[in-house]
């Protein structure tokens, strides 16, 4: 096959701050996926993009080229509108677990194709895999059947969905080119558009525990992604939400499942409940569904019924006892006063070091590992009070996990709480 371009021309164009043309973008993504463009050439192009940016036409074309590298899911057999949520990830962010069955109970169909966690933020599939018997890998036929029968499916995205992104993401991870808004936006939106949902709500996290700690940058990422979704015909909205403090009272796989089940039972921490209901209302409104209100569906048990059906449909036992780590250690307050801050990133890193997360793709995670929080900013604390319980199967991990918590909480006599509002910005295209 005679190639249309040489990679070096495209790299030098972006290095010299020129716009890439549509044919150049289509070719470079296709040629990289086919193995014609080498990793070292794509690394140079990614760095040029990180340094010199892309305009909205280039980002949109780049996203489309990634979508076209693989299959598009088709949910036309489903008799309800499809609506989905994507979070950029944060510490204790278990919202997908109660949200998918909740939106189904309100009349939507939620095809939630998720990933595994890398680094300090946990992955939805890792959390659900702590439920005995639950299977993340489904064939496309089985996905459709679970979605048809339960109104929600949470499973691993198949290999055929945006394969260009899989290669590019692995390369960005090792070439310090993850943090470019055009590359993040196209990576997330290529998968979500290929997933074939008719409506999409983006939960873009900001604060210390988020990928984009600066709220202005998180807003820019959110606007870029909303524009890409709208362009592709997906009813897309975004909420920029707080991740300066962990969400809820748990970080870790089985611990977060337990908390999600509490929310589905009508209880649970107020921030998790509030964000779940807010996102559910956005998802059903964007999809034009006039169903039950999410607050009602949490209280009347209908969301819990969907959860149990959905877990059973994927081989899991929703009534089984969740795994508990073999060892626990307490983390106590060393002073009295008001807790003014709790750094989400430090809690995330500590939970990760306890074994809740992985440092390399393919590593296994501990189902029971993680952190339970017994106090949050705003609480009055007395010296010696239990602030956190650390859980792991391997006690040798405690020392580094506790090191990660150094400076994590601030306790000040008469201090006032300084934290982001739950919703920092809302963007509707
Ligand atoms: N998540 C993704 O899927 N892609 C990115 O680039 C960043 C976060």
């Amino acid at each position: 096959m005679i190639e249309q371009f040489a990679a070096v021309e495209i790299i030098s164009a972006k290095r010299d701050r020129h716009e890439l043309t549509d044919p150049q973008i289509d070719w470079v993504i296709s040629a990289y996926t086919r193995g014609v463009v080498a990793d070292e050439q794509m690394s140079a192009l990614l760095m040029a993009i990180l340094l010199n940016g892309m305009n909205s036409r280039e980002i949109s074309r780049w996203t489309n080229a990634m979508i076209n590298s693989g299959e598009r899911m088709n949910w036309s057999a489903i008799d309800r509108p499809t609506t989905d949520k994507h979070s950029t990830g944060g510490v204790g962010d278990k919202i997908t677990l109660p949200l998918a069955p909740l939106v189904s109970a309100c009349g939507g169909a939620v095809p939630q194709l998720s990933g595994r966690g890398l680094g300090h933020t946990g992955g939805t599939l890792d959390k659900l895999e702590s439920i005995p018997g639950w299977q993340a890998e489904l064939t496309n036929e089985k996905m459709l059947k679970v979605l048809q029968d339960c109104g929600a499916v949470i499973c691993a995205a198949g290999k055929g969905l945006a394969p260009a992104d899989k290669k590019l993401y692995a390369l960005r991870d090792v070439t310090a080119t993850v943090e470019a808004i055009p590359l993040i936006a196209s990576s997330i939106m290529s998968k979500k558009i290929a997933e074939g949902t008719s409506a999409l709500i983006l939960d873009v996290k900001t604060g210390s525990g988020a990928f984009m700690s600066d709220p202005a940058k998180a807003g820019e990422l959110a606007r870029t992604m909303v524009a890409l979704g709208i362009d592709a015909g997906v009813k897309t909205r975004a909420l920029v939400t707080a991740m300066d403090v962990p969400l809820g009272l748990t970080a870790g796989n089985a611990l977060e499942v337990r908390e999600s089940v509490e929310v589905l039972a009508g209880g649970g921490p107020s921030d998790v409940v509030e964000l779940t209901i807010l996102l559910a209302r956005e998802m059903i409104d964007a999809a034009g569904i006039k169903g039950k209100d999410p607050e009602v569906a949490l209280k009347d048990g209908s969301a819990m019924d969907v959860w149990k059906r959905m877990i059973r449909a994927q081989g899991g036992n929703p009534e089984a006892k969740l795994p508990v780590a073999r060892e626990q250690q307490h983390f106590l307050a060393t002073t009295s006063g008001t807790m003014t801050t709790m750094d989400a990133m430090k809690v995330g890193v500590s939970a990760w070091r306890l074994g809740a997360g992985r440092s390399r793709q393919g590593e296994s995670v501990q189902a029971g590992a993680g952190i339970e929080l017994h106090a949050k900013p705003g609480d009055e604390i007395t010296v010696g009070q239990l602030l956190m319980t650390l859980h792991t199967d391997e006690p040798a991990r405690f020392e580094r996990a506790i090191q990660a918590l150094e400076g994590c909480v601030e306790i000040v006599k008469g201090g006032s709480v300084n934290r982001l509002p739950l919703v920092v910005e809302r963007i509707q295209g």
Side-chain angles (χ1 to χ4, degrees), residues 86-88 165 169 172 178 180 183-188 191 211:
H86 176 82
S87 162
T88 56
D165 178 63
Y169 194 76
R172 287 166 57 211
V178 169
L183 298 178
I184 299 170
S186 56
S187 164
I188 293 174
K191 287 173 286 198
F211 194 56

